[in-house]
Amino acid sequence: QGIFVLGLPYALLYSGYSGLFLIILAAALCCYTGKILIACLYEENEDGQLIRVRDTYEDIANACCKRLSPRLGGIVVNVTQVTELIMTCILYLVVSGNLLSHSFPYVPMSEKTWSVIAFVTLLPCVFIKTLKIVSKLSQLCSLVHFIIILVVMTYCLTQTHQWSWAKFRLSIEFEDFLVSVGVIIFSYTSQIFLPTLEGNMKNPGEFRCMLNWTHFFACVLKTTFALTAFLTWGEETKEVITDNLPSFLQTLVNFCLLTKALLSYPLPFFSATEIVYACISRGNHSNYRSPLSALGVRGSFLLLTLLMAMFIPHFALLMGLTGSVTGAAMTFLLPSLFHLKLKWKKLSFLEKCADISVFILGFLCSLAGIVCSIKGLLAVFG
Protein backbone atom coordinates (compact mmCIF):
# COMPACT_ATOMS: atom_id res chain seq x y z
CA GLN A 1 0.00 0.00 0.00
CA GLY A 2 1.85 3.06 -1.27
CA ILE A 3 1.27 6.81 -1.26
CA PHE A 4 -0.55 6.31 -4.60
CA VAL A 5 -3.55 5.06 -2.57
CA LEU A 6 -4.20 8.64 -1.45
CA GLY A 7 -4.84 9.58 -5.08
CA LEU A 8 -7.47 6.89 -5.69
CA PRO A 9 -10.51 9.05 -4.71
CA TYR A 10 -9.28 11.65 -7.22
CA ALA A 11 -9.01 8.86 -9.82
CA LEU A 12 -12.67 7.99 -9.17
CA LEU A 13 -13.60 11.63 -9.76
CA TYR A 14 -12.46 11.31 -13.38
CA SER A 15 -13.29 7.65 -14.06
CA GLY A 16 -16.70 7.31 -12.38
CA TYR A 17 -18.13 3.81 -11.99
CA SER A 18 -15.50 2.38 -14.35
CA GLY A 19 -12.85 3.34 -11.77
CA LEU A 20 -14.30 0.85 -9.27
CA PHE A 21 -14.08 -1.89 -11.91
CA LEU A 22 -10.49 -0.83 -12.74
CA ILE A 23 -9.39 -1.15 -9.09
CA ILE A 24 -10.56 -4.79 -9.09
CA LEU A 25 -9.18 -5.55 -12.58
CA ALA A 26 -5.76 -4.02 -11.76
CA ALA A 27 -5.50 -6.20 -8.63
CA ALA A 28 -6.24 -9.35 -10.65
CA LEU A 29 -3.79 -8.44 -13.44
CA CYS A 30 -0.92 -7.44 -11.14
CA CYS A 31 -1.42 -10.60 -9.07
CA TYR A 32 -1.33 -12.68 -12.27
CA THR A 33 1.84 -11.06 -13.67
CA GLY A 34 3.52 -11.51 -10.27
CA LYS A 35 2.82 -15.24 -10.42
CA ILE A 36 4.02 -15.73 -14.00
CA LEU A 37 7.17 -13.71 -13.26
CA ILE A 38 8.07 -16.04 -10.37
CA ALA A 39 7.17 -19.08 -12.53
CA CYS A 40 9.97 -17.95 -14.88
CA LEU A 41 12.50 -18.50 -12.05
CA TYR A 42 11.77 -22.24 -12.08
CA GLU A 43 12.35 -25.14 -14.48
CA GLU A 44 11.36 -28.80 -14.21
CA ASN A 45 14.11 -31.39 -13.64
CA GLU A 46 14.13 -34.95 -15.02
CA ASP A 47 11.79 -36.09 -12.23
CA GLY A 48 9.24 -33.38 -13.02
CA GLN A 49 10.10 -31.36 -9.87
CA LEU A 50 10.32 -27.58 -10.04
CA ILE A 51 13.84 -26.29 -9.33
CA ARG A 52 14.73 -22.61 -8.87
CA VAL A 53 17.37 -22.08 -11.57
CA ARG A 54 17.23 -18.28 -11.64
CA ASP A 55 17.40 -15.72 -8.84
CA THR A 56 16.59 -12.32 -10.27
CA TYR A 57 14.60 -10.45 -12.90
CA GLU A 58 17.95 -10.04 -14.70
CA ASP A 59 18.48 -13.83 -14.86
CA ILE A 60 15.04 -14.28 -16.44
CA ALA A 61 15.78 -11.59 -19.06
CA ASN A 62 19.19 -13.13 -19.88
CA ALA A 63 17.59 -16.56 -20.31
CA CYS A 64 15.11 -15.10 -22.80
CA CYS A 65 17.73 -13.21 -24.82
CA LYS A 66 20.61 -15.71 -24.68
CA ARG A 67 20.43 -16.48 -28.43
CA LEU A 68 20.54 -12.81 -29.34
CA SER A 69 23.07 -11.72 -26.69
CA PRO A 70 23.90 -13.44 -23.36
CA ARG A 71 23.63 -10.23 -21.31
CA LEU A 72 21.41 -7.92 -23.39
CA GLY A 73 18.17 -8.81 -21.60
CA GLY A 74 19.75 -8.33 -18.17
CA ILE A 75 21.14 -4.92 -19.12
CA VAL A 76 17.72 -3.71 -20.38
CA VAL A 77 15.95 -4.98 -17.24
CA ASN A 78 18.57 -3.53 -14.87
CA VAL A 79 18.48 -0.10 -16.51
CA THR A 80 14.67 -0.12 -16.39
CA GLN A 81 14.57 -1.27 -12.76
CA VAL A 82 17.20 1.17 -11.51
CA THR A 83 15.56 4.09 -13.37
CA GLU A 84 12.18 3.39 -11.79
CA LEU A 85 13.68 2.84 -8.33
CA ILE A 86 15.74 6.05 -8.53
CA MET A 87 12.66 8.04 -9.55
CA THR A 88 10.69 6.48 -6.68
CA CYS A 89 13.38 7.46 -4.16
CA ILE A 90 13.49 11.00 -5.55
CA LEU A 91 9.71 11.23 -5.31
CA TYR A 92 9.88 10.37 -1.58
CA LEU A 93 12.44 13.16 -1.04
CA VAL A 94 10.34 15.68 -2.97
CA VAL A 95 7.18 14.64 -1.09
CA SER A 96 9.04 14.94 2.26
CA GLY A 97 10.19 18.47 1.42
CA ASN A 98 6.67 19.44 0.34
CA LEU A 99 5.08 18.04 3.52
CA LEU A 100 7.62 19.73 5.81
CA SER A 101 7.14 23.12 4.12
CA HIS A 102 3.35 22.83 4.50
CA SER A 103 3.66 21.71 8.11
CA PHE A 104 5.89 24.67 9.05
CA PRO A 105 4.69 27.52 6.77
CA TYR A 106 5.97 30.13 9.24
CA VAL A 107 9.60 28.93 8.86
CA PRO A 108 11.29 30.88 6.02
CA MET A 109 12.73 27.88 4.14
CA SER A 110 12.09 26.58 0.63
CA GLU A 111 10.85 23.07 -0.20
CA LYS A 112 14.33 22.18 -1.49
CA THR A 113 15.88 23.11 1.86
CA TRP A 114 13.33 20.93 3.64
CA SER A 115 14.22 18.11 1.22
CA VAL A 116 17.86 18.42 2.32
CA ILE A 117 16.76 18.11 5.98
CA ALA A 118 14.74 15.00 5.09
CA PHE A 119 17.82 13.66 3.26
CA VAL A 120 19.94 13.99 6.42
CA THR A 121 17.55 11.68 8.30
CA LEU A 122 18.03 9.08 5.51
CA LEU A 123 21.86 8.97 5.77
CA PRO A 124 21.79 5.77 7.92
CA CYS A 125 20.46 3.97 4.80
CA VAL A 126 24.08 3.58 3.63
CA PHE A 127 24.56 0.98 6.40
CA ILE A 128 21.62 -1.24 5.34
CA LYS A 129 23.03 -4.61 4.29
CA THR A 130 20.12 -7.06 4.52
CA LEU A 131 16.47 -7.26 3.54
CA LYS A 132 15.57 -8.07 7.16
CA ILE A 133 16.28 -4.47 8.24
CA VAL A 134 14.28 -3.16 5.29
CA SER A 135 11.35 -5.42 6.16
CA LYS A 136 11.19 -4.03 9.71
CA LEU A 137 11.16 -0.46 8.38
CA SER A 138 8.47 -1.44 5.85
CA GLN A 139 6.43 -2.93 8.67
CA LEU A 140 6.52 0.42 10.50
CA CYS A 141 5.65 2.11 7.21
CA SER A 142 2.57 -0.11 6.87
CA LEU A 143 1.52 0.74 10.44
CA VAL A 144 1.76 4.49 9.74
CA HIS A 145 -0.13 4.00 6.48
CA PHE A 146 -3.02 2.28 8.26
CA ILE A 147 -3.17 5.15 10.76
CA ILE A 148 -3.55 7.59 7.82
CA ILE A 149 -6.25 5.43 6.20
CA LEU A 150 -8.03 5.08 9.57
CA VAL A 151 -8.05 8.84 10.20
CA VAL A 152 -9.40 9.63 6.72
CA MET A 153 -12.05 6.89 6.78
CA THR A 154 -13.17 7.73 10.34
CA TYR A 155 -13.75 11.33 9.30
CA CYS A 156 -15.58 10.18 6.14
CA LEU A 157 -17.88 7.94 8.18
CA THR A 158 -18.87 10.95 10.29
CA GLN A 159 -20.08 12.61 7.08
CA THR A 160 -22.35 9.79 5.82
CA HIS A 161 -25.35 12.13 5.92
CA GLN A 162 -24.06 13.94 2.83
CA TRP A 163 -23.13 10.87 0.76
CA SER A 164 -24.78 10.57 -2.65
CA TRP A 165 -24.21 8.16 -5.53
CA ALA A 166 -25.18 11.02 -7.83
CA LYS A 167 -21.62 12.31 -7.32
CA PHE A 168 -20.33 9.63 -9.70
CA ARG A 169 -19.80 10.76 -13.29
CA LEU A 170 -21.63 8.94 -16.06
CA SER A 171 -19.71 10.61 -18.90
CA ILE A 172 -15.92 10.82 -18.76
CA GLU A 173 -13.16 12.59 -20.71
CA PHE A 174 -10.71 10.17 -22.37
CA GLU A 175 -7.51 11.93 -21.21
CA ASP A 176 -8.80 12.28 -17.65
CA PHE A 177 -9.70 8.59 -17.73
CA LEU A 178 -6.13 7.69 -18.78
CA VAL A 179 -4.75 9.61 -15.79
CA SER A 180 -7.05 7.57 -13.54
CA VAL A 181 -5.87 4.32 -15.16
CA GLY A 182 -2.24 5.25 -14.42
CA VAL A 183 -2.93 6.04 -10.75
CA ILE A 184 -4.96 2.85 -10.20
CA ILE A 185 -2.58 0.45 -11.95
CA PHE A 186 0.60 1.82 -10.42
CA SER A 187 -0.85 1.71 -6.92
CA TYR A 188 -0.47 -2.10 -7.17
CA THR A 189 2.96 -2.48 -8.79
CA SER A 190 5.43 -4.63 -6.86
CA GLN A 191 6.96 -6.86 -9.55
CA ILE A 192 10.45 -5.37 -9.15
CA PHE A 193 10.65 -6.69 -5.58
CA LEU A 194 9.01 -10.10 -6.07
CA PRO A 195 12.03 -12.26 -7.10
CA THR A 196 14.01 -11.01 -4.07
CA LEU A 197 10.98 -11.38 -1.79
CA GLU A 198 10.19 -14.93 -2.93
CA GLY A 199 13.85 -15.92 -2.60
CA ASN A 200 13.94 -14.65 1.00
CA MET A 201 10.72 -16.38 2.13
CA LYS A 202 11.14 -19.17 4.70
CA ASN A 203 8.66 -21.23 2.68
CA PRO A 204 8.64 -20.11 -1.01
CA GLY A 205 5.90 -22.66 -1.68
CA GLU A 206 3.45 -20.27 0.01
CA PHE A 207 4.27 -17.44 -2.41
CA ARG A 208 1.22 -17.82 -4.67
CA CYS A 209 -1.12 -18.01 -1.68
CA MET A 210 0.52 -14.94 -0.16
CA LEU A 211 0.14 -13.04 -3.43
CA ASN A 212 -3.56 -13.96 -3.71
CA TRP A 213 -4.39 -12.80 -0.19
CA THR A 214 -2.33 -9.59 -0.29
CA HIS A 215 -3.88 -8.50 -3.59
CA PHE A 216 -7.36 -9.44 -2.36
CA PHE A 217 -7.03 -7.38 0.82
CA ALA A 218 -5.34 -4.53 -1.09
CA CYS A 219 -8.27 -4.49 -3.51
CA VAL A 220 -10.85 -4.43 -0.68
CA LEU A 221 -8.99 -1.65 1.16
CA LYS A 222 -8.45 0.47 -1.97
CA THR A 223 -12.08 0.12 -3.09
CA THR A 224 -13.48 0.93 0.37
CA PHE A 225 -11.12 3.85 0.92
CA ALA A 226 -11.60 5.41 -2.53
CA LEU A 227 -15.38 5.00 -2.37
CA THR A 228 -15.92 6.46 1.11
CA ALA A 229 -13.60 9.41 0.44
CA PHE A 230 -15.15 10.22 -2.94
CA LEU A 231 -18.72 9.95 -1.60
CA THR A 232 -17.73 12.42 1.14
CA TRP A 233 -16.20 15.17 -1.04
CA GLY A 234 -17.46 14.45 -4.58
CA GLU A 235 -16.47 17.21 -7.03
CA GLU A 236 -14.34 18.84 -4.30
CA THR A 237 -12.01 15.79 -4.13
CA LYS A 238 -8.37 16.92 -4.36
CA GLU A 239 -5.39 15.12 -5.93
CA VAL A 240 -4.13 14.00 -2.52
CA ILE A 241 -7.21 13.25 -0.43
CA THR A 242 -5.61 14.35 2.86
CA ASP A 243 -5.75 17.96 1.53
CA ASN A 244 -9.55 17.72 1.89
CA LEU A 245 -9.34 17.14 5.66
CA PRO A 246 -10.04 19.91 8.21
CA SER A 247 -6.88 21.76 9.31
CA PHE A 248 -6.72 20.13 12.76
CA LEU A 249 -6.56 16.67 11.16
CA GLN A 250 -4.39 17.76 8.25
CA THR A 251 -1.41 18.53 10.50
CA LEU A 252 -1.55 15.08 12.13
CA VAL A 253 -1.89 13.33 8.77
CA ASN A 254 0.94 15.38 7.21
CA PHE A 255 3.31 14.19 9.94
CA CYS A 256 2.15 10.60 9.34
CA LEU A 257 2.69 11.03 5.58
CA LEU A 258 6.16 12.42 6.20
CA THR A 259 7.00 9.43 8.40
CA LYS A 260 5.62 7.09 5.75
CA ALA A 261 7.64 8.73 2.96
CA LEU A 262 10.88 8.46 4.96
CA LEU A 263 10.18 4.84 5.96
CA SER A 264 9.27 3.96 2.35
CA TYR A 265 12.63 5.17 1.00
CA PRO A 266 14.82 2.21 2.18
CA LEU A 267 13.04 -0.48 0.09
CA PRO A 268 13.59 1.03 -3.41
CA PHE A 269 17.00 2.32 -2.20
CA PHE A 270 18.11 -1.16 -1.07
CA SER A 271 16.78 -2.82 -4.25
CA ALA A 272 18.52 -0.34 -6.57
CA THR A 273 21.88 -0.52 -4.77
CA GLU A 274 21.71 -4.33 -4.80
CA ILE A 275 21.22 -4.29 -8.58
CA VAL A 276 24.05 -1.78 -9.15
CA TYR A 277 26.43 -3.62 -6.85
CA ALA A 278 25.53 -6.93 -8.51
CA CYS A 279 26.58 -5.47 -11.87
CA ILE A 280 29.83 -4.09 -10.44
CA SER A 281 30.80 -7.26 -8.56
CA ARG A 282 29.47 -9.64 -11.27
CA GLY A 283 26.73 -11.27 -9.24
CA ASN A 284 28.30 -11.28 -5.77
CA HIS A 285 25.67 -8.83 -4.43
CA SER A 286 24.46 -11.12 -1.65
CA ASN A 287 27.92 -11.14 -0.08
CA TYR A 288 29.61 -7.75 0.11
CA ARG A 289 33.24 -8.82 -0.33
CA SER A 290 34.47 -5.25 -0.18
CA PRO A 291 32.57 -3.30 2.51
CA LEU A 292 34.15 -0.04 1.35
CA SER A 293 32.98 -0.65 -2.24
CA ALA A 294 29.44 -1.44 -1.06
CA LEU A 295 29.42 1.69 1.12
CA GLY A 296 30.60 3.75 -1.85
CA VAL A 297 27.78 2.45 -4.07
CA ARG A 298 25.12 3.15 -1.44
CA GLY A 299 26.56 6.58 -0.58
CA SER A 300 26.77 7.61 -4.25
CA PHE A 301 23.22 6.48 -4.87
CA LEU A 302 21.93 8.39 -1.83
CA LEU A 303 23.65 11.58 -3.01
CA LEU A 304 22.38 11.11 -6.57
CA THR A 305 18.74 11.00 -5.41
CA LEU A 306 19.21 14.25 -3.47
CA LEU A 307 20.84 16.08 -6.41
CA MET A 308 18.12 14.98 -8.82
CA ALA A 309 15.38 15.96 -6.34
CA MET A 310 16.99 19.40 -6.04
CA PHE A 311 17.69 20.22 -9.68
CA ILE A 312 15.22 18.39 -11.99
CA PRO A 313 12.47 20.81 -13.11
CA HIS A 314 8.87 19.61 -13.49
CA PHE A 315 9.66 16.40 -11.67
CA ALA A 316 6.04 15.24 -11.47
CA LEU A 317 5.65 15.21 -15.26
CA LEU A 318 8.98 13.45 -15.74
CA MET A 319 7.93 10.93 -13.11
CA GLY A 320 4.72 10.30 -15.05
CA LEU A 321 6.65 9.79 -18.28
CA THR A 322 9.18 7.44 -16.63
CA GLY A 323 6.41 5.54 -14.84
CA SER A 324 4.51 5.05 -18.08
CA VAL A 325 7.59 3.49 -19.68
CA THR A 326 9.26 1.60 -16.82
CA GLY A 327 6.17 0.84 -14.70
CA ALA A 328 4.15 -0.69 -17.53
CA ALA A 329 7.22 -2.56 -18.83
CA MET A 330 8.12 -4.13 -15.47
CA THR A 331 4.51 -4.85 -14.46
CA PHE A 332 2.84 -6.05 -17.67
CA LEU A 333 5.05 -6.17 -20.76
CA LEU A 334 8.15 -8.04 -19.60
CA PRO A 335 6.51 -10.65 -17.28
CA SER A 336 4.04 -11.73 -20.00
CA LEU A 337 6.72 -11.67 -22.72
CA PHE A 338 9.21 -13.69 -20.63
CA HIS A 339 6.54 -16.20 -19.60
CA LEU A 340 5.58 -16.79 -23.24
CA LYS A 341 9.22 -17.15 -24.27
CA LEU A 342 10.32 -19.53 -21.50
CA LYS A 343 7.15 -21.61 -21.03
CA TRP A 344 5.57 -21.59 -24.52
CA LYS A 345 5.60 -25.38 -24.99
CA LYS A 346 4.04 -26.03 -21.58
CA LEU A 347 1.35 -23.35 -21.67
CA SER A 348 -2.26 -24.13 -22.53
CA PHE A 349 -4.10 -22.16 -25.21
CA LEU A 350 -5.96 -20.10 -22.56
CA GLU A 351 -2.69 -19.27 -20.73
CA LYS A 352 -1.13 -18.08 -23.98
CA CYS A 353 -4.20 -15.93 -24.70
CA ALA A 354 -4.01 -14.47 -21.16
CA ASP A 355 -0.32 -13.56 -21.54
CA ILE A 356 -0.85 -11.99 -24.97
CA SER A 357 -3.88 -10.01 -23.68
CA VAL A 358 -1.89 -8.68 -20.70
CA PHE A 359 0.97 -7.69 -23.03
CA ILE A 360 -1.37 -5.78 -25.38
CA LEU A 361 -3.13 -4.08 -22.45
CA GLY A 362 0.22 -3.08 -20.91
CA PHE A 363 1.43 -1.70 -24.24
CA LEU A 364 -1.70 0.41 -24.70
CA CYS A 365 -1.51 1.76 -21.11
CA SER A 366 2.16 2.61 -21.60
CA LEU A 367 1.55 4.33 -24.94
CA ALA A 368 -1.37 6.35 -23.60
CA GLY A 369 0.62 7.40 -20.51
CA ILE A 370 3.60 8.48 -22.64
CA VAL A 371 1.37 10.60 -24.91
CA CYS A 372 -0.33 12.32 -21.93
CA SER A 373 3.00 12.98 -20.17
CA ILE A 374 4.66 14.39 -23.30
CA LYS A 375 1.63 16.66 -23.92
CA GLY A 376 1.96 17.90 -20.34
CA LEU A 377 5.68 18.59 -20.75
CA LEU A 378 5.14 20.39 -24.07
CA ALA A 379 2.43 22.54 -22.43
CA VAL A 380 4.77 23.44 -19.54
CA PHE A 381 7.69 24.31 -21.83
CA GLY A 382 5.39 26.28 -24.15
Side-chain angles (χ1 to χ4, degrees), residues 225-382:
F225 177 73
L227 194 57
T228 53
F230 178 72
L231 287 173
T232 301
W233 287 290
E235 292 289 329
E236 302 298 318
T237 302
K238 296 183 180 178
E239 285 189 55
V240 179
I241 198 63
T242 51
D243 290 342
N244 282 101
L245 292 170
S247 56
F248 69 94
L249 282 177
Q250 224 176 82
T251 306
L252 168 66
V253 170
N254 277 350
F255 274 112
C256 288
L257 282 170
L258 173 64
T259 307
K260 177 174 170 54
L262 295 175
L263 289 171
S264 296
Y265 185 96
L267 180 57
F269 173 82
F270 176 79
S271 299
T273 52
E274 286 282 277
I275 293 166
V276 172
Y277 193 73
C279 296
I280 294 171
S281 61
R282 295 187 180 181
N284 293 326
H285 60 293
S286 60
N287 180 19
Y288 285 87
R289 299 198 174 175
S290 170
L292 195 61
S293 170
L295 203 63
V297 169
R298 293 195 291 268
S300 301
F301 185 89
L302 199 67
L303 191 60
L304 176 67
T305 59
L306 174 67
L307 293 174
M308 290 180 75
M310 296 287 288
F311 298 111
I312 291 182
H314 310 297
F315 176 76
L317 288 170
L318 286 172
M319 183 74 189
L321 181 59
T322 307
S324 297
V325 178
T326 62
M330 301 302 290
T331 306
F332 296 119
L333 302 180
L334 294 181
S336 53
L337 195 63
F338 292 162
H339 195 235
L340 286 168
K341 171 70 175 172
L342 294 173
K343 308 288 183 180
W344 180 265
K345 293 179 181 178
K346 296 177 182 177
L347 294 178
S348 67
F349 176 73
L350 285 176
E351 287 174 322
K352 289 175 183 176
C353 288
D355 285 356
I356 292 168
S357 300
V358 169
F359 182 85
I360 294 170
L361 185 64
F363 177 76
L364 293 175
C365 284
S366 179
L367 187 64
I370 290 168
V371 170
C372 287
S373 298
I374 289 175
K375 282 181 73 175
L377 283 169
L378 289 174
V380 167
F381 288 108

Side-chain angles (χ1 to χ4, degrees), residues 28-46:
L29 290 176
C30 290
C31 183
Y32 175 73
T33 56
K35 288 176 184 176
I36 62 175
L37 180 67
I38 296 305
C40 293
L41 298 173
Y42 291 84
E43 294 290 349
E44 284 186 5
N45 63 11
E46 295 174 354

Side-chain angles (χ1 to χ4, degrees), residues 9 12 20 163 165 168 222-232:
L12 284 190
L20 294 174
W163 287 9
W165 288 94
F168 274 93
K222 284 175 167 63
T223 306
T224 307
F225 177 73
L227 194 57
T228 53
F230 178 72
L231 287 173
T232 301

Side-chain angles (χ1 to χ4, degrees), residues 16-28:
Y17 288 102
S18 60
L20 294 174
F21 171 72
L22 278 172
I23 292 174
I24 299 167
L25 180 64

Side-chain angles (χ1 to χ4, degrees), residues 181-241:
V181 170
V183 173
I184 290 167
I185 288 176
F186 297 119
S187 70
Y188 283 104
T189 55
S190 61
Q191 276 67 9
I192 287 178
F193 311 111
L194 293 185
T196 305
L197 178 63
E198 195 260 0
N200 281 274
M201 286 178 71
K202 287 183 179 179
N203 183 5
E206 294 179 349
F207 177 82
R208 292 175 70 88
C209 180
M210 177 276 292
L211 214 59
N212 287 336
W213 281 109
T214 49
H215 279 77
F216 171 75
F217 283 120
C219 179
V220 170
L221 179 63
K222 284 175 167 63
T223 306
T224 307
F225 177 73
L227 194 57
T228 53
F230 178 72
L231 287 173
T232 301
W233 287 290
E235 292 289 329
E236 302 298 318
T237 302
K238 296 183 180 178
E239 285 189 55
V240 179
I241 198 63

